Amino acid sequence: MRNPPPTPIASVILIGDEILSGRTQDKNLAHIASVLAEVGIAIGEARIIPDIKEVIISVVNDMRQRYDYVFTTGGIGPTHDDITAECMATAFGVALEVHPLAQEMLQDHYDTLGTDFNEARQRMARIPQGAALIDNPVSRAPGFAIENVYVMAGIPRIMQAMMEGVLPTLKGGEAICSCTITALVPEGTIAAKMHEMQTAYAQLNIGLYPFYGAEGAGVSVVARGRDQAALTKIETEILEYFEDIEASLTSK
């Protein structure tokens, strides 16, 4: 990847027949544009394309040559038409492999849910050779980054959680740091307190990402910003708050 200019330019590729047909209304572009702007990265182009192998490969190869960063959403799930991972492998001329860490994380996730880690779900552990995983604190199925291309889920709340992990790795403006705190506490139980913390820490952005497992509802709280001291402080406060909440729920 070439060195980014003072203001790096990114492109976004929204992959999915369901967007083109109108069955699904895209919410990802606005979020990606907003968070990239915060780190000094502009979007120069965005395209919505179908789940067609030749189209995906062609568009990715075009955009990765013309832009500093490329962000894709969609097509990395467990179904037969989720072909983005194999398209990326072809575009970069590498093998598509089962990633050991991705396999382990998914196996643990489905074991926790008490759900069969079947052949379809195992597809989500296939990653192009040499790619780095993008963490998914919501459903554990990772995205991945290969050179200047970042491949993420199409479901908005999962994509947003992935983007939280990607942002600190980008070269744009001043570095953004983040921390993630997860607990088996329903989102609604902590929503008011998190709003209160967001008001108190206006220099940070706090996001809530709920999930559901065999043990019940839980939530991952992601705080990010440029003020490392504030991040350290709020992480401690949220951990202490979660401990109090979990203790009170256990005692009931």
Side-chain angles (χ1 to χ4, degrees), residues 122-143:
Q122 290 174 33
R123 285 170 50 86
M124 296 186 289
R126 301 177 309 151
I127 305 294
Q129 186 179 49
L133 298 184
I134 296 175
D135 186 41
N136 171 4
V138 178
S139 63
R140 302 311 297 157

Side-chain angles (χ1 to χ4, degrees), residues 207-236:
L208 276 63
Y209 304 97
F211 60 87
Y212 304 91
E215 298 180 11
V219 64
S220 292
V221 177
V222 179
R224 63 182 180 86
R226 297 180 174 89
D227 189 336
Q228 183 60 61
L231 275 172
T232 300
K233 186 176 180 183
I234 198 171
E235 182 176 20
T236 300

Side-chain angles (χ1 to χ4, degrees), residues 134-178:
I134 296 175
D135 186 41
N136 171 4
V138 178
S139 63
R140 302 311 297 157
F144 58 87
I146 180 166
E147 294 188 13
N148 63 332
V149 179
Y150 296 80
V151 179
M152 300 178 291
I155 299 172
R157 66 190 180 95
I158 297 178
M159 186 283 298
Q160 291 170 20
M162 288 182 172
M163 201 70 190
E164 295 285 355
V166 166
L167 283 174
T169 71
L170 304 178
K171 295 179 181 179
E174 190 177 350
I176 286 184
C177 301
S178 68

Side-chain angles (χ1 to χ4, degrees), residues 20-55:
L20 289 168
S21 69
R23 294 193 304 272
T24 297
Q25 189 171 22
D26 174 68
K27 298 179 181 178
N28 290 331
L29 177 58
H31 181 81
I32 293 171
S34 175
V35 297
L36 288 182
E38 294 177 8
V39 297
I41 298 174
I43 291 183
E45 184 178 354
R47 291 182 63 177
I48 303 173
I49 62 174
D51 296 303
I52 298 175
K53 185 174 182 179
E54 294 76 15
V55 174

Side-chain angles (χ1 to χ4, degrees), residues 101-112 115 117 121-126 139-142:
L101 180 56
Q103 179 95 352
E104 180 182 347
M105 290 190 301
L106 285 164
Q107 182 73 67
D108 289 345
H109 175 68
Y110 285 106
D111 285 349
T112 300
T115 303
F117 186 37
R121 295 182 177 113
Q122 290 174 33
R123 285 170 50 86
M124 296 186 289
R126 301 177 309 151
S139 63
R140 302 311 297 157

